[in-house]
Amino acid sequence: MPEGRFAEHRPRQRDEESSHAGKSCRRTWAADMGRSEARFTYHSDTRMTFEVVDGAGLAADGHIETGDVQIAEIRPDVFLASWQEADGTTVVHVADLSRQRVDATIALDDRLFTPVGTFTAPPEQAQS
């Protein structure tokens, strides 16, 4: 395959990897998508826990799950995070930290949802 824009993806080696932990990881973020709300705690560049605060009928309120996440920095303060939940739901978030905005794509039960909302540090964390 040719080098350049369409070259085959090669996972980065640990020594060439840039850590996102300074911005998005190792902290908790609250996502308010209008009808639904959740909290995301990024433990590292590859692990996170999410808690459904208000599932708006799509997910059970109070559901908590920890799993693998892939994070890529698109540009300074803008991150793409993707994961697959235990029930098979696939989620992709683009979080713009400087604008406190999150755009999501959620594939659930053969349906596609594209909520937009805010992505902020919860008040108890923002003050600490």
Side-chain angles (χ1 to χ4, degrees), residues 77-107:
D77 285 336
V78 179
F79 295 88
L80 179 129
S82 62
W83 65 92
Q84 188 165 44
E85 298 172 5
D87 67 0
T89 299
T90 300
V91 181
V92 178
H93 277 182
V94 176
D96 184 332
L97 304 182
S98 62
R99 293 177 55 213
Q100 296 184 329
R101 176 186 165 111
V102 63
D103 292 78
T105 299
I106 303 167

mmCIF file of all heavy atoms in Angstrom, residues 77-107:
data_model
loop_
_atom_site.group_PDB
_atom_site.id
_atom_site.type_symbol
_atom_site.label_atom_id
_atom_site.label_comp_id
_atom_site.label_asym_id
_atom_site.label_seq_id
_atom_site.Cartn_x
_atom_site.Cartn_y
_atom_site.Cartn_z
ATOM 1 N N ASP A 77 -7.115 20.735 22.057
ATOM 2 C CA ASP A 77 -8.387 20.826 22.772
ATOM 3 C C ASP A 77 -9.562 20.137 22.079
ATOM 4 O O ASP A 77 -10.697 20.288 22.508
ATOM 5 C CB ASP A 77 -8.771 22.276 23.080
ATOM 6 C CG ASP A 77 -7.949 22.856 24.210
ATOM 7 O OD1 ASP A 77 -7.430 22.080 25.038
ATOM 8 O OD2 ASP A 77 -7.819 24.091 24.263
ATOM 9 N N VAL A 78 -9.325 19.384 21.018
ATOM 10 C CA VAL A 78 -10.395 18.637 20.344
ATOM 11 C C VAL A 78 -9.982 17.167 20.272
ATOM 12 O O VAL A 78 -8.939 16.843 19.716
ATOM 13 C CB VAL A 78 -10.696 19.187 18.935
ATOM 14 C CG1 VAL A 78 -11.787 18.361 18.262
ATOM 15 C CG2 VAL A 78 -11.101 20.655 19.013
ATOM 16 N N PHE A 79 -10.828 16.313 20.858
ATOM 17 C CA PHE A 79 -10.519 14.894 20.951
ATOM 18 C C PHE A 79 -11.652 14.044 20.391
ATOM 19 O O PHE A 79 -12.824 14.379 20.559
ATOM 20 C CB PHE A 79 -10.300 14.488 22.415
ATOM 21 C CG PHE A 79 -9.098 15.136 23.018
ATOM 22 C CD1 PHE A 79 -9.192 16.373 23.630
ATOM 23 C CD2 PHE A 79 -7.871 14.504 22.963
ATOM 24 C CE1 PHE A 79 -8.081 16.987 24.173
ATOM 25 C CE2 PHE A 79 -6.751 15.105 23.506
ATOM 26 C CZ PHE A 79 -6.852 16.352 24.111
ATOM 27 N N LEU A 80 -11.295 12.949 19.755
ATOM 28 C CA LEU A 80 -12.244 11.948 19.309
ATOM 29 C C LEU A 80 -12.084 10.747 20.226
ATOM 30 O O LEU A 80 -10.966 10.266 20.414
ATOM 31 C CB LEU A 80 -11.967 11.545 17.858
ATOM 32 C CG LEU A 80 -12.922 10.481 17.339
ATOM 33 C CD1 LEU A 80 -13.522 10.939 16.022
ATOM 34 C CD2 LEU A 80 -12.217 9.174 17.180
ATOM 35 N N ALA A 81 -13.163 10.305 20.825
ATOM 36 C CA ALA A 81 -13.139 9.131 21.693
ATOM 37 C C ALA A 81 -14.168 8.138 21.165
ATOM 38 O O ALA A 81 -15.286 8.527 20.806
ATOM 39 C CB ALA A 81 -13.480 9.511 23.132
ATOM 40 N N SER A 82 -13.786 6.870 21.096
ATOM 41 C CA SER A 82 -14.724 5.855 20.627
ATOM 42 C C SER A 82 -14.594 4.602 21.483
ATOM 43 O O SER A 82 -13.521 4.286 21.976
ATOM 44 C CB SER A 82 -14.470 5.531 19.149
ATOM 45 O OG SER A 82 -13.179 5.003 18.965
ATOM 46 N N TRP A 83 -15.742 3.911 21.638
ATOM 47 C CA TRP A 83 -15.750 2.689 22.421
ATOM 48 C C TRP A 83 -16.974 1.861 22.070
ATOM 49 O O TRP A 83 -17.923 2.348 21.460
ATOM 50 C CB TRP A 83 -15.724 2.990 23.921
ATOM 51 C CG TRP A 83 -16.937 3.707 24.444
ATOM 52 C CD1 TRP A 83 -18.062 3.142 24.975
ATOM 53 C CD2 TRP A 83 -17.146 5.125 24.489
ATOM 54 N NE1 TRP A 83 -18.955 4.124 25.352
ATOM 55 C CE2 TRP A 83 -18.418 5.351 25.057
ATOM 56 C CE3 TRP A 83 -16.386 6.224 24.107
ATOM 57 C CZ2 TRP A 83 -18.943 6.613 25.256
ATOM 58 C CZ3 TRP A 83 -16.903 7.493 24.293
ATOM 59 C CH2 TRP A 83 -18.163 7.677 24.864
ATOM 60 N N GLN A 84 -16.931 0.606 22.479
ATOM 61 C CA GLN A 84 -18.091 -0.265 22.340
ATOM 62 C C GLN A 84 -18.480 -0.743 23.729
ATOM 63 O O GLN A 84 -17.645 -1.217 24.498
ATOM 64 C CB GLN A 84 -17.802 -1.457 21.438
ATOM 65 C CG GLN A 84 -19.059 -2.244 21.138
ATOM 66 C CD GLN A 84 -18.885 -3.201 19.990
ATOM 67 O OE1 GLN A 84 -17.879 -3.888 19.922
ATOM 68 N NE2 GLN A 84 -19.860 -3.256 19.108
ATOM 69 N N GLU A 85 -19.759 -0.591 24.041
ATOM 70 C CA GLU A 85 -20.261 -0.963 25.356
ATOM 71 C C GLU A 85 -20.568 -2.461 25.409
ATOM 72 O O GLU A 85 -20.626 -3.131 24.387
ATOM 73 C CB GLU A 85 -21.503 -0.120 25.671
ATOM 74 C CG GLU A 85 -21.145 1.363 25.707
ATOM 75 C CD GLU A 85 -22.333 2.292 25.823
ATOM 76 O OE1 GLU A 85 -23.485 1.812 25.970
ATOM 77 O OE2 GLU A 85 -22.104 3.516 25.761
ATOM 78 N N ALA A 86 -20.744 -2.970 26.610
ATOM 79 C CA ALA A 86 -20.961 -4.403 26.813
ATOM 80 C C ALA A 86 -22.170 -4.928 26.040
ATOM 81 O O ALA A 86 -22.171 -6.072 25.587
ATOM 82 C CB ALA A 86 -21.113 -4.710 28.300
ATOM 83 N N ASP A 87 -23.195 -4.089 25.842
ATOM 84 C CA ASP A 87 -24.396 -4.529 25.120
ATOM 85 C C ASP A 87 -24.261 -4.392 23.608
ATOM 86 O O ASP A 87 -25.203 -4.658 22.868
ATOM 87 C CB ASP A 87 -25.631 -3.782 25.608
ATOM 88 C CG ASP A 87 -25.619 -2.296 25.260
ATOM 89 O OD1 ASP A 87 -24.643 -1.810 24.633
ATOM 90 O OD2 ASP A 87 -26.595 -1.603 25.609
ATOM 91 N N GLY A 88 -23.070 -3.976 23.139
ATOM 92 C CA GLY A 88 -22.834 -3.839 21.709
ATOM 93 C C GLY A 88 -23.026 -2.438 21.163
ATOM 94 O O GLY A 88 -22.726 -2.171 20.006
ATOM 95 N N THR A 89 -23.538 -1.527 21.974
ATOM 96 C CA THR A 89 -23.700 -0.139 21.539
ATOM 97 C C THR A 89 -22.332 0.438 21.215
ATOM 98 O O THR A 89 -21.388 0.287 21.988
ATOM 99 C CB THR A 89 -24.371 0.707 22.644
ATOM 100 O OG1 THR A 89 -25.663 0.166 22.917
ATOM 101 C CG2 THR A 89 -24.492 2.162 22.241
ATOM 102 N N THR A 90 -22.221 1.091 20.064
ATOM 103 C CA THR A 90 -20.973 1.736 19.654
ATOM 104 C C THR A 90 -21.153 3.240 19.757
ATOM 105 O O THR A 90 -22.160 3.787 19.290
ATOM 106 C CB THR A 90 -20.609 1.346 18.214
ATOM 107 O OG1 THR A 90 -20.453 -0.084 18.161
ATOM 108 C CG2 THR A 90 -19.313 2.002 17.775
ATOM 109 N N VAL A 91 -20.182 3.910 20.383
ATOM 110 C CA VAL A 91 -20.266 5.348 20.620
ATOM 111 C C VAL A 91 -19.006 6.035 20.115
ATOM 112 O O VAL A 91 -17.895 5.539 20.329
ATOM 113 C CB VAL A 91 -20.442 5.655 22.130
ATOM 114 C CG1 VAL A 91 -20.565 7.149 22.379
ATOM 115 C CG2 VAL A 91 -21.635 4.912 22.701
ATOM 116 N N VAL A 92 -19.203 7.174 19.458
ATOM 117 C CA VAL A 92 -18.095 8.034 19.041
ATOM 118 C C VAL A 92 -18.429 9.441 19.508
ATOM 119 O O VAL A 92 -19.530 9.945 19.239
ATOM 120 C CB VAL A 92 -17.898 8.019 17.508
ATOM 121 C CG1 VAL A 92 -16.773 8.962 17.114
ATOM 122 C CG2 VAL A 92 -17.617 6.608 17.010
ATOM 123 N N HIS A 93 -17.508 10.058 20.231
ATOM 124 C CA HIS A 93 -17.665 11.439 20.697
ATOM 125 C C HIS A 93 -16.559 12.290 20.089
ATOM 126 O O HIS A 93 -15.398 11.871 20.066
ATOM 127 C CB HIS A 93 -17.460 11.534 22.208
ATOM 128 C CG HIS A 93 -18.648 11.208 23.017
ATOM 129 N ND1 HIS A 93 -18.632 11.291 24.392
ATOM 130 C CD2 HIS A 93 -19.891 10.802 22.690
ATOM 131 C CE1 HIS A 93 -19.804 10.944 24.865
ATOM 132 N NE2 HIS A 93 -20.592 10.636 23.845
ATOM 133 N N VAL A 94 -16.899 13.480 19.666
ATOM 134 C CA VAL A 94 -15.898 14.501 19.353
ATOM 135 C C VAL A 94 -16.114 15.591 20.386
ATOM 136 O O VAL A 94 -17.170 16.244 20.406
ATOM 137 C CB VAL A 94 -16.038 15.054 17.925
ATOM 138 C CG1 VAL A 94 -15.036 16.184 17.710
ATOM 139 C CG2 VAL A 94 -15.812 13.952 16.898
ATOM 140 N N ALA A 95 -15.148 15.752 21.277
ATOM 141 C CA ALA A 95 -15.242 16.725 22.363
ATOM 142 C C ALA A 95 -14.322 17.908 22.079
ATOM 143 O O ALA A 95 -13.125 17.727 21.890
ATOM 144 C CB ALA A 95 -14.864 16.074 23.690
ATOM 145 N N ASP A 96 -14.912 19.081 22.045
ATOM 146 C CA ASP A 96 -14.162 20.327 21.885
ATOM 147 C C ASP A 96 -14.105 20.974 23.261
ATOM 148 O O ASP A 96 -15.080 21.584 23.712
ATOM 149 C CB ASP A 96 -14.857 21.234 20.869
ATOM 150 C CG ASP A 96 -14.076 22.504 20.577
ATOM 151 O OD1 ASP A 96 -13.322 22.969 21.460
ATOM 152 O OD2 ASP A 96 -14.236 23.033 19.473
ATOM 153 N N LEU A 97 -12.993 20.799 23.945
ATOM 154 C CA LEU A 97 -12.879 21.250 25.327
ATOM 155 C C LEU A 97 -12.916 22.765 25.444
ATOM 156 O O LEU A 97 -13.461 23.301 26.407
ATOM 157 C CB LEU A 97 -11.609 20.687 25.964
ATOM 158 C CG LEU A 97 -11.472 19.161 25.917
ATOM 159 C CD1 LEU A 97 -10.200 18.736 26.631
ATOM 160 C CD2 LEU A 97 -12.686 18.476 26.489
ATOM 161 N N SER A 98 -12.348 23.481 24.477
ATOM 162 C CA SER A 98 -12.328 24.941 24.571
ATOM 163 C C SER A 98 -13.724 25.533 24.359
ATOM 164 O O SER A 98 -14.043 26.571 24.922
ATOM 165 C CB SER A 98 -11.335 25.542 23.582
ATOM 166 O OG SER A 98 -11.701 25.235 22.255
ATOM 167 N N ARG A 99 -14.564 24.857 23.577
ATOM 168 C CA ARG A 99 -15.939 25.324 23.347
ATOM 169 C C ARG A 99 -16.937 24.615 24.258
ATOM 170 O O ARG A 99 -18.123 24.926 24.224
ATOM 171 C CB ARG A 99 -16.327 25.112 21.886
ATOM 172 C CG ARG A 99 -15.520 25.990 20.945
ATOM 173 C CD ARG A 99 -15.838 25.741 19.484
ATOM 174 N NE ARG A 99 -17.276 25.892 19.218
ATOM 175 C CZ ARG A 99 -17.938 25.183 18.309
ATOM 176 N NH1 ARG A 99 -17.314 24.281 17.581
ATOM 177 N NH2 ARG A 99 -19.222 25.385 18.117
ATOM 178 N N GLN A 100 -16.465 23.642 25.038
ATOM 179 C CA GLN A 100 -17.298 22.845 25.942
ATOM 180 C C GLN A 100 -18.461 22.204 25.184
ATOM 181 O O GLN A 100 -19.593 22.182 25.636
ATOM 182 C CB GLN A 100 -17.810 23.683 27.112
ATOM 183 C CG GLN A 100 -16.708 24.184 27.994
ATOM 184 C CD GLN A 100 -17.232 24.923 29.200
ATOM 185 O OE1 GLN A 100 -18.280 25.555 29.170
ATOM 186 N NE2 GLN A 100 -16.491 24.848 30.286
ATOM 187 N N ARG A 101 -18.155 21.641 24.018
ATOM 188 C CA ARG A 101 -19.172 21.043 23.151
ATOM 189 C C ARG A 101 -18.797 19.590 22.855
ATOM 190 O O ARG A 101 -17.621 19.274 22.688
ATOM 191 C CB ARG A 101 -19.246 21.826 21.849
ATOM 192 C CG ARG A 101 -20.198 21.245 20.827
ATOM 193 C CD ARG A 101 -20.106 22.000 19.513
ATOM 194 N NE ARG A 101 -20.739 21.262 18.450
ATOM 195 C CZ ARG A 101 -21.855 21.634 17.848
ATOM 196 N NH1 ARG A 101 -22.437 22.751 18.205
ATOM 197 N NH2 ARG A 101 -22.356 20.904 16.873
ATOM 198 N N VAL A 102 -19.810 18.753 22.772
ATOM 199 C CA VAL A 102 -19.604 17.366 22.372
ATOM 200 C C VAL A 102 -20.627 17.007 21.297
ATOM 201 O O VAL A 102 -21.800 17.349 21.395
ATOM 202 C CB VAL A 102 -19.684 16.388 23.573
ATOM 203 C CG1 VAL A 102 -21.055 16.384 24.209
ATOM 204 C CG2 VAL A 102 -19.289 14.978 23.156
ATOM 205 N N ASP A 103 -20.135 16.382 20.242
ATOM 206 C CA ASP A 103 -20.972 15.828 19.186
ATOM 207 C C ASP A 103 -20.793 14.320 19.266
ATOM 208 O O ASP A 103 -19.660 13.837 19.321
ATOM 209 C CB ASP A 103 -20.509 16.317 17.813
ATOM 210 C CG ASP A 103 -20.753 17.797 17.616
ATOM 211 O OD1 ASP A 103 -19.976 18.612 18.157
ATOM 212 O OD2 ASP A 103 -21.720 18.126 16.924
ATOM 213 N N ALA A 104 -21.893 13.588 19.259
ATOM 214 C CA ALA A 104 -21.808 12.140 19.419
ATOM 215 C C ALA A 104 -22.535 11.432 18.284
ATOM 216 O O ALA A 104 -23.464 11.972 17.687
ATOM 217 C CB ALA A 104 -22.411 11.719 20.755
ATOM 218 N N THR A 105 -22.080 10.229 18.019
ATOM 219 C CA THR A 105 -22.798 9.297 17.161
ATOM 220 C C THR A 105 -22.914 8.005 17.953
ATOM 221 O O THR A 105 -21.904 7.478 18.437
ATOM 222 C CB THR A 105 -22.057 9.057 15.834
ATOM 223 O OG1 THR A 105 -21.939 10.302 15.145
ATOM 224 C CG2 THR A 105 -22.813 8.072 14.962
ATOM 225 N N ILE A 106 -24.144 7.542 18.108
ATOM 226 C CA ILE A 106 -24.410 6.352 18.906
ATOM 227 C C ILE A 106 -25.180 5.354 18.041
ATOM 228 O O ILE A 106 -26.255 5.682 17.526
ATOM 229 C CB ILE A 106 -25.236 6.701 20.164
ATOM 230 C CG1 ILE A 106 -24.501 7.774 20.987
ATOM 231 C CG2 ILE A 106 -25.532 5.456 20.988
ATOM 232 C CD1 ILE A 106 -25.351 8.414 22.060
ATOM 233 N N ALA A 107 -24.606 4.167 17.873
ATOM 234 C CA ALA A 107 -25.277 3.097 17.131
ATOM 235 C C ALA A 107 -25.833 2.110 18.151
ATOM 236 O O ALA A 107 -25.077 1.445 18.858
ATOM 237 C CB ALA A 107 -24.305 2.400 16.190
#
